[in-house]
Amino acid sequence: LAAASTAIGLAAFNVQVQMNYITNALIFGIAQTAALMSGIYFAEENKKALRKTMVLSVVLVISIGVILMNVLPLEGVTNFILHVYLEDNEDAYEVTSAMLFFYGTYVLAQGNAVLLANYLQATKRIIMSNVVYILDDVVFVYLCLNFWKKIADYSFATDYERVLMTFIAAFFAHAAFILCIPAI
C-alpha cells in the first residue's frame, strides 16, 4: 500500500487496521489459550488432550474466518463499516469494500498462523514459531506482491488498481501460507 502511495489505499488499510483491533482480540485470545493448554498437555505428555485442544482451536479460528467471509461482504454490513470508518471519503469506498471482501480469508490465515506459532512455542519449537511469523507476514506477502507486479502492468495501473492488487496479493499470500501449514 505504501508503494501504491494513495490516499484511498491508506484509507482502506486504516479500515483493515481497525478491523484487526476487533478480530485480533478473538484470534489472539484463542491462540494464547490454546498455547497455555498445549504447554500443559505437552508437559504431561497427554497427546490426546493436546490434539483435541488444537482441533477445537482450529475449528474456532476457521469459524470466525468463515463468518467474516460471509458477513462482511453483505451490503448493509459493508455500508455500515464504510460509514463508520471512512465517513465522507467516498473515493475510498470501492477499494475498502474490496478489502472487506478479502478480510475473512486474511483472518482465517492470520488466525491459523498465530495458532500454529503459539502451538510451536508451547511445544518448545521456538525457531519454527518464528519461521511461521516470517513466512506469513513477510515472505509470502513479498513474493505475491512481486508476482503481481510482474504479471500486471503496474506502471500504468490506476491508484485503485494498485491498491486492489495489494489486497489480492495479500489474499494469495495468506492462502499460500494455509497450504503450507501441513508441511510445517
Side-chain angles (χ1 to χ4, degrees):
L1 289 171
S5 67
T6 65
I8 61 168
L10 295 175
F13 181 70
N14 182 47
V15 174
Q16 179 175 332
V17 169
Q18 299 304 319
M19 297 299 296
N20 283 346
Y21 290 146
I22 297 166
T23 57
N24 282 351
L26 293 170
I27 298 299
F28 282 93
I30 292 168
Q32 289 172 350
T33 302
L36 176 67
M37 298 306 296
S38 295
I40 292 168
Y41 295 137
F42 181 75
E44 294 175 351
E45 297 182 12
N46 187 345
K47 291 182 181 181
K48 184 177 180 181
L50 178 60
R51 188 177 312 113
K52 187 176 180 181
T53 298
M54 292 312 298
V55 167
L56 177 62
S57 301
V58 168
V59 168
L60 285 171
V61 167
I62 289 172
S63 298
I64 292 169
V66 169
I67 289 168
L68 290 172
M69 288 168 66
N70 289 300
V71 170
L72 290 178
L74 295 174
E75 187 176 346
V77 175
T78 300
N79 288 339
F80 174 76
I81 291 170
L82 295 176
H83 178 70
V84 168
Y85 292 114
L86 296 177
E87 295 175 357
D88 296 330
N89 187 0
E90 292 182 14
D91 294 339
Y93 274 32
E94 188 175 10
V95 73
T96 305
S97 297
M99 179 277 298
L100 289 172
F101 178 78
F102 294 115
Y103 187 76
T105 306
Y106 167 78
V107 167
L108 189 67
Q110 180 200 33
N112 280 300
V114 171
L115 193 61
L116 177 60
N118 283 3
Y119 167 77
L120 292 169
Q121 285 178 352
T123 56
K124 301 185 188 237
R125 297 180 189 116
I126 306 301
I127 293 173
M128 281 306 295
S129 174
N130 292 328
V131 167
V132 166
Y133 283 123
I134 291 168
L135 282 175
D136 185 46
D137 292 333
V138 180
V139 174
F140 283 116
V141 174
Y142 176 80
L143 291 174
C144 287
L145 280 172
N146 279 328
F147 176 74
W148 271 111
K149 285 183 179 181
K150 288 188 188 327
I151 65 166
D153 195 356
Y154 199 75
S155 61
F156 292 104
T158 65
D159 290 344
Y160 170 76
E161 290 167 340
R162 288 181 184 166
V163 173
L164 190 58
M165 280 192 267
T166 304
F167 283 122
I168 292 170
F171 165 78
F172 282 116
H174 294 306
F177 176 77
I178 289 174
L179 297 175
C180 288
I181 287 176
I184 293 170

Short mmCIF file of all heavy atoms in Angstrom, two decimals, residues 63-102:
data_model
loop_
_atom_site.label_atom_id
_atom_site.label_comp_id
_atom_site.label_asym_id
_atom_site.label_seq_id
_atom_site.Cartn_x
_atom_site.Cartn_y
_atom_site.Cartn_z
N SER A 63 -14.06 -20.94 12.02
CA SER A 63 -15.44 -20.44 12.14
C SER A 63 -15.47 -18.92 12.09
O SER A 63 -16.32 -18.33 11.41
CB SER A 63 -16.07 -20.92 13.45
OG SER A 63 -16.14 -22.32 13.47
N ILE A 64 -14.56 -18.28 12.81
CA ILE A 64 -14.51 -16.81 12.80
C ILE A 64 -14.21 -16.31 11.38
O ILE A 64 -14.86 -15.38 10.88
CB ILE A 64 -13.46 -16.29 13.80
CG1 ILE A 64 -13.92 -16.57 15.23
CG2 ILE A 64 -13.21 -14.79 13.60
CD1 ILE A 64 -12.85 -16.35 16.28
N GLY A 65 -13.23 -16.92 10.71
CA GLY A 65 -12.90 -16.52 9.34
C GLY A 65 -14.06 -16.71 8.39
O GLY A 65 -14.37 -15.83 7.58
N VAL A 66 -14.74 -17.85 8.48
CA VAL A 66 -15.87 -18.13 7.58
C VAL A 66 -17.03 -17.16 7.86
O VAL A 66 -17.66 -16.66 6.92
CB VAL A 66 -16.32 -19.60 7.71
CG1 VAL A 66 -17.64 -19.86 7.02
CG2 VAL A 66 -15.24 -20.52 7.15
N ILE A 67 -17.27 -16.89 9.11
CA ILE A 67 -18.33 -15.92 9.45
C ILE A 67 -18.00 -14.57 8.85
O ILE A 67 -18.86 -13.94 8.21
CB ILE A 67 -18.53 -15.83 10.98
CG1 ILE A 67 -19.19 -17.10 11.51
CG2 ILE A 67 -19.35 -14.59 11.35
CD1 ILE A 67 -19.17 -17.24 13.02
N LEU A 68 -16.77 -14.11 9.02
CA LEU A 68 -16.37 -12.82 8.45
C LEU A 68 -16.43 -12.83 6.93
O LEU A 68 -16.83 -11.84 6.32
CB LEU A 68 -14.97 -12.43 8.92
CG LEU A 68 -14.85 -12.07 10.40
CD1 LEU A 68 -13.39 -11.89 10.78
CD2 LEU A 68 -15.65 -10.82 10.72
N MET A 69 -16.04 -13.95 6.31
CA MET A 69 -16.08 -14.06 4.85
C MET A 69 -17.51 -13.93 4.33
O MET A 69 -17.73 -13.45 3.22
CB MET A 69 -15.49 -15.39 4.40
CG MET A 69 -13.99 -15.48 4.55
SD MET A 69 -13.33 -17.15 4.36
CE MET A 69 -13.68 -17.47 2.65
N ASN A 70 -18.48 -14.36 5.13
CA ASN A 70 -19.87 -14.32 4.70
C ASN A 70 -20.62 -13.08 5.15
O ASN A 70 -21.58 -12.68 4.51
CB ASN A 70 -20.61 -15.58 5.19
CG ASN A 70 -20.16 -16.81 4.44
OD1 ASN A 70 -20.30 -16.88 3.23
ND2 ASN A 70 -19.59 -17.76 5.15
N VAL A 71 -20.18 -12.47 6.25
CA VAL A 71 -20.91 -11.32 6.79
C VAL A 71 -20.39 -9.99 6.25
O VAL A 71 -21.17 -9.11 5.88
CB VAL A 71 -20.86 -11.33 8.34
CG1 VAL A 71 -21.39 -10.04 8.93
CG2 VAL A 71 -21.64 -12.53 8.88
N LEU A 72 -19.06 -9.83 6.20
CA LEU A 72 -18.50 -8.54 5.78
C LEU A 72 -18.90 -8.11 4.37
O LEU A 72 -19.12 -6.92 4.14
CB LEU A 72 -16.99 -8.53 5.94
CG LEU A 72 -16.48 -8.52 7.38
CD1 LEU A 72 -14.96 -8.57 7.41
CD2 LEU A 72 -16.99 -7.33 8.14
N PRO A 73 -18.98 -9.02 3.39
CA PRO A 73 -19.39 -8.58 2.06
C PRO A 73 -20.88 -8.19 1.93
O PRO A 73 -21.28 -7.64 0.91
CB PRO A 73 -19.09 -9.78 1.16
CG PRO A 73 -18.07 -10.56 1.90
CD PRO A 73 -18.42 -10.37 3.34
N LEU A 74 -21.68 -8.48 2.96
CA LEU A 74 -23.09 -8.10 2.88
C LEU A 74 -23.21 -6.58 2.77
O LEU A 74 -22.52 -5.84 3.49
CB LEU A 74 -23.86 -8.59 4.12
CG LEU A 74 -23.96 -10.11 4.28
CD1 LEU A 74 -24.62 -10.44 5.62
CD2 LEU A 74 -24.73 -10.73 3.14
N GLU A 75 -24.06 -6.14 1.89
CA GLU A 75 -24.14 -4.71 1.58
C GLU A 75 -24.38 -3.85 2.82
O GLU A 75 -23.73 -2.83 3.01
CB GLU A 75 -25.24 -4.45 0.55
CG GLU A 75 -25.26 -3.04 0.05
CD GLU A 75 -26.28 -2.83 -1.05
OE1 GLU A 75 -26.79 -3.81 -1.61
OE2 GLU A 75 -26.58 -1.66 -1.35
N GLY A 76 -25.30 -4.26 3.67
CA GLY A 76 -25.60 -3.47 4.86
C GLY A 76 -24.42 -3.38 5.82
O GLY A 76 -24.13 -2.32 6.37
N VAL A 77 -23.71 -4.49 5.99
CA VAL A 77 -22.55 -4.52 6.89
C VAL A 77 -21.43 -3.68 6.30
O VAL A 77 -20.81 -2.86 6.99
CB VAL A 77 -22.09 -5.97 7.13
CG1 VAL A 77 -20.82 -6.01 7.96
CG2 VAL A 77 -23.19 -6.78 7.80
N THR A 78 -21.16 -3.88 5.01
CA THR A 78 -20.11 -3.10 4.34
C THR A 78 -20.41 -1.62 4.43
O THR A 78 -19.53 -0.83 4.78
CB THR A 78 -19.98 -3.52 2.86
OG1 THR A 78 -19.63 -4.91 2.82
CG2 THR A 78 -18.93 -2.72 2.15
N ASN A 79 -21.64 -1.22 4.13
CA ASN A 79 -22.00 0.20 4.19
C ASN A 79 -21.84 0.77 5.59
O ASN A 79 -21.39 1.90 5.76
CB ASN A 79 -23.43 0.41 3.68
CG ASN A 79 -23.53 0.22 2.18
OD1 ASN A 79 -22.54 0.31 1.46
ND2 ASN A 79 -24.72 -0.07 1.70
N PHE A 80 -22.21 -0.02 6.60
CA PHE A 80 -22.07 0.44 7.98
C PHE A 80 -20.59 0.68 8.31
O PHE A 80 -20.22 1.72 8.86
CB PHE A 80 -22.66 -0.58 8.96
CG PHE A 80 -22.42 -0.25 10.40
CD1 PHE A 80 -23.15 0.75 11.02
CD2 PHE A 80 -21.43 -0.92 11.12
CE1 PHE A 80 -22.91 1.08 12.35
CE2 PHE A 80 -21.19 -0.60 12.45
CZ PHE A 80 -21.93 0.41 13.07
N ILE A 81 -19.73 -0.28 7.96
CA ILE A 81 -18.30 -0.16 8.24
C ILE A 81 -17.70 1.02 7.48
O ILE A 81 -16.92 1.81 8.03
CB ILE A 81 -17.57 -1.47 7.89
CG1 ILE A 81 -17.98 -2.56 8.89
CG2 ILE A 81 -16.05 -1.28 7.90
CD1 ILE A 81 -17.53 -3.95 8.52
N LEU A 82 -18.08 1.17 6.22
CA LEU A 82 -17.58 2.29 5.42
C LEU A 82 -17.99 3.62 6.02
O LEU A 82 -17.19 4.56 6.10
CB LEU A 82 -18.08 2.18 3.98
CG LEU A 82 -17.58 0.99 3.16
CD1 LEU A 82 -18.26 0.97 1.81
CD2 LEU A 82 -16.08 1.00 3.03
N HIS A 83 -19.24 3.71 6.46
CA HIS A 83 -19.73 4.96 7.04
C HIS A 83 -19.02 5.27 8.36
O HIS A 83 -18.64 6.41 8.62
CB HIS A 83 -21.25 4.90 7.25
CG HIS A 83 -21.79 6.14 7.89
ND1 HIS A 83 -21.85 7.34 7.23
CD2 HIS A 83 -22.26 6.36 9.13
CE1 HIS A 83 -22.35 8.25 8.05
NE2 HIS A 83 -22.61 7.68 9.21
N VAL A 84 -18.82 4.26 9.18
CA VAL A 84 -18.19 4.48 10.49
C VAL A 84 -16.73 4.89 10.34
O VAL A 84 -16.29 5.85 10.97
CB VAL A 84 -18.30 3.22 11.38
CG1 VAL A 84 -17.41 3.31 12.60
CG2 VAL A 84 -19.74 2.99 11.80
N TYR A 85 -15.99 4.20 9.49
CA TYR A 85 -14.55 4.43 9.43
C TYR A 85 -14.11 5.42 8.36
O TYR A 85 -13.05 6.03 8.48
CB TYR A 85 -13.81 3.10 9.22
CG TYR A 85 -13.89 2.21 10.43
CD1 TYR A 85 -14.58 1.01 10.38
CD2 TYR A 85 -13.31 2.57 11.64
CE1 TYR A 85 -14.67 0.20 11.50
CE2 TYR A 85 -13.40 1.77 12.75
CZ TYR A 85 -14.08 0.58 12.68
OH TYR A 85 -14.17 -0.23 13.78
N LEU A 86 -14.89 5.57 7.30
CA LEU A 86 -14.48 6.47 6.21
C LEU A 86 -15.28 7.75 6.16
O LEU A 86 -14.89 8.68 5.46
CB LEU A 86 -14.57 5.75 4.86
CG LEU A 86 -13.65 4.56 4.67
CD1 LEU A 86 -13.90 3.91 3.32
CD2 LEU A 86 -12.20 4.95 4.80
N GLU A 87 -16.40 7.77 6.82
CA GLU A 87 -17.32 8.90 6.84
C GLU A 87 -17.60 9.40 5.42
O GLU A 87 -18.26 8.75 4.66
CB GLU A 87 -16.78 10.00 7.75
CG GLU A 87 -16.71 9.57 9.20
CD GLU A 87 -16.08 10.60 10.10
OE1 GLU A 87 -15.62 11.65 9.60
OE2 GLU A 87 -16.04 10.35 11.31
N ASP A 88 -17.07 10.56 5.06
CA ASP A 88 -17.39 11.15 3.77
C ASP A 88 -16.33 10.89 2.69
O ASP A 88 -16.40 11.45 1.60
CB ASP A 88 -17.58 12.67 3.92
CG ASP A 88 -18.77 13.01 4.80
OD1 ASP A 88 -19.73 12.21 4.81
OD2 ASP A 88 -18.73 14.05 5.47
N ASN A 89 -15.37 10.05 2.96
CA ASN A 89 -14.32 9.75 1.99
C ASN A 89 -14.82 8.72 0.98
O ASN A 89 -14.37 7.58 0.96
CB ASN A 89 -13.06 9.26 2.72
CG ASN A 89 -11.88 9.09 1.78
OD1 ASN A 89 -11.98 9.34 0.58
ND2 ASN A 89 -10.77 8.67 2.34
N GLU A 90 -15.75 9.12 0.14
CA GLU A 90 -16.39 8.20 -0.79
C GLU A 90 -15.43 7.66 -1.85
O GLU A 90 -15.67 6.61 -2.43
CB GLU A 90 -17.59 8.86 -1.44
CG GLU A 90 -18.71 9.10 -0.44
CD GLU A 90 -19.95 9.72 -1.07
OE1 GLU A 90 -20.05 9.73 -2.32
OE2 GLU A 90 -20.80 10.19 -0.31
N ASP A 91 -14.32 8.35 -2.08
CA ASP A 91 -13.33 7.86 -3.04
C ASP A 91 -12.75 6.51 -2.59
O ASP A 91 -12.36 5.69 -3.43
CB ASP A 91 -12.18 8.86 -3.20
CG ASP A 91 -12.62 10.16 -3.84
OD1 ASP A 91 -13.69 10.15 -4.50
OD2 ASP A 91 -11.92 11.17 -3.67
N ALA A 92 -12.70 6.28 -1.30
CA ALA A 92 -12.10 5.05 -0.77
C ALA A 92 -13.12 3.94 -0.57
O ALA A 92 -12.76 2.82 -0.20
CB ALA A 92 -11.40 5.35 0.55
N TYR A 93 -14.40 4.21 -0.82
CA TYR A 93 -15.44 3.20 -0.57
C TYR A 93 -15.23 1.93 -1.39
O TYR A 93 -15.31 0.83 -0.88
CB TYR A 93 -16.82 3.77 -0.86
CG TYR A 93 -17.46 4.52 0.29
CD1 TYR A 93 -16.70 5.22 1.21
CD2 TYR A 93 -18.82 4.53 0.45
CE1 TYR A 93 -17.28 5.91 2.25
CE2 TYR A 93 -19.42 5.22 1.49
CZ TYR A 93 -18.65 5.90 2.39
OH TYR A 93 -19.22 6.57 3.42
N GLU A 94 -14.96 2.10 -2.68
CA GLU A 94 -14.88 0.94 -3.57
C GLU A 94 -13.73 0.01 -3.19
O GLU A 94 -13.90 -1.20 -3.07
CB GLU A 94 -14.74 1.40 -5.03
CG GLU A 94 -14.85 0.29 -6.02
CD GLU A 94 -14.82 0.79 -7.46
OE1 GLU A 94 -14.52 1.99 -7.69
OE2 GLU A 94 -15.07 -0.03 -8.35
N VAL A 95 -12.55 0.57 -2.98
CA VAL A 95 -11.40 -0.27 -2.65
C VAL A 95 -11.52 -0.84 -1.23
O VAL A 95 -11.11 -1.97 -0.97
CB VAL A 95 -10.07 0.50 -2.85
CG1 VAL A 95 -9.85 1.52 -1.77
CG2 VAL A 95 -8.91 -0.47 -2.94
N THR A 96 -12.14 -0.12 -0.32
CA THR A 96 -12.34 -0.63 1.03
C THR A 96 -13.36 -1.77 1.01
O THR A 96 -13.21 -2.75 1.74
CB THR A 96 -12.77 0.49 1.98
OG1 THR A 96 -11.81 1.55 1.92
CG2 THR A 96 -12.87 0.00 3.41
N SER A 97 -14.36 -1.66 0.16
CA SER A 97 -15.32 -2.75 0.00
C SER A 97 -14.60 -4.01 -0.49
O SER A 97 -14.88 -5.12 -0.02
CB SER A 97 -16.42 -2.38 -0.98
OG SER A 97 -17.16 -1.31 -0.50
N ALA A 98 -13.68 -3.84 -1.42
CA ALA A 98 -12.90 -4.98 -1.92
C ALA A 98 -12.05 -5.57 -0.80
O ALA A 98 -11.94 -6.80 -0.67
CB ALA A 98 -12.02 -4.54 -3.08
N MET A 99 -11.43 -4.72 0.02
CA MET A 99 -10.63 -5.21 1.14
C MET A 99 -11.50 -6.02 2.10
O MET A 99 -11.10 -7.08 2.56
CB MET A 99 -9.99 -4.03 1.88
CG MET A 99 -9.14 -4.43 3.09
SD MET A 99 -10.04 -4.72 4.64
CE MET A 99 -10.75 -3.12 4.95
N LEU A 100 -12.70 -5.54 2.38
CA LEU A 100 -13.60 -6.27 3.28
C LEU A 100 -13.97 -7.63 2.72
O LEU A 100 -14.16 -8.59 3.46
CB LEU A 100 -14.85 -5.45 3.57
CG LEU A 100 -14.64 -4.22 4.45
CD1 LEU A 100 -15.91 -3.38 4.50
CD2 LEU A 100 -14.19 -4.60 5.84
N PHE A 101 -14.06 -7.72 1.40
CA PHE A 101 -14.37 -8.99 0.75
C PHE A 101 -13.28 -10.02 1.06
O PHE A 101 -13.56 -11.18 1.29
CB PHE A 101 -14.52 -8.79 -0.76
CG PHE A 101 -14.80 -10.06 -1.51
CD1 PHE A 101 -16.06 -10.60 -1.50
CD2 PHE A 101 -13.78 -10.70 -2.20
CE1 PHE A 101 -16.32 -11.79 -2.19
CE2 PHE A 101 -14.03 -11.88 -2.89
CZ PHE A 101 -15.31 -12.42 -2.88
N PHE A 102 -12.02 -9.59 1.05
CA PHE A 102 -10.89 -10.49 1.29
C PHE A 102 -10.56 -10.65 2.77
O PHE A 102 -9.77 -11.52 3.14
CB PHE A 102 -9.64 -9.98 0.56
CG PHE A 102 -9.77 -10.02 -0.93
CD1 PHE A 102 -9.76 -8.85 -1.65
CD2 PHE A 102 -9.89 -11.22 -1.60
CE1 PHE A 102 -9.87 -8.88 -3.03
CE2 PHE A 102 -10.00 -11.26 -2.98
CZ PHE A 102 -9.98 -10.08 -3.69
#
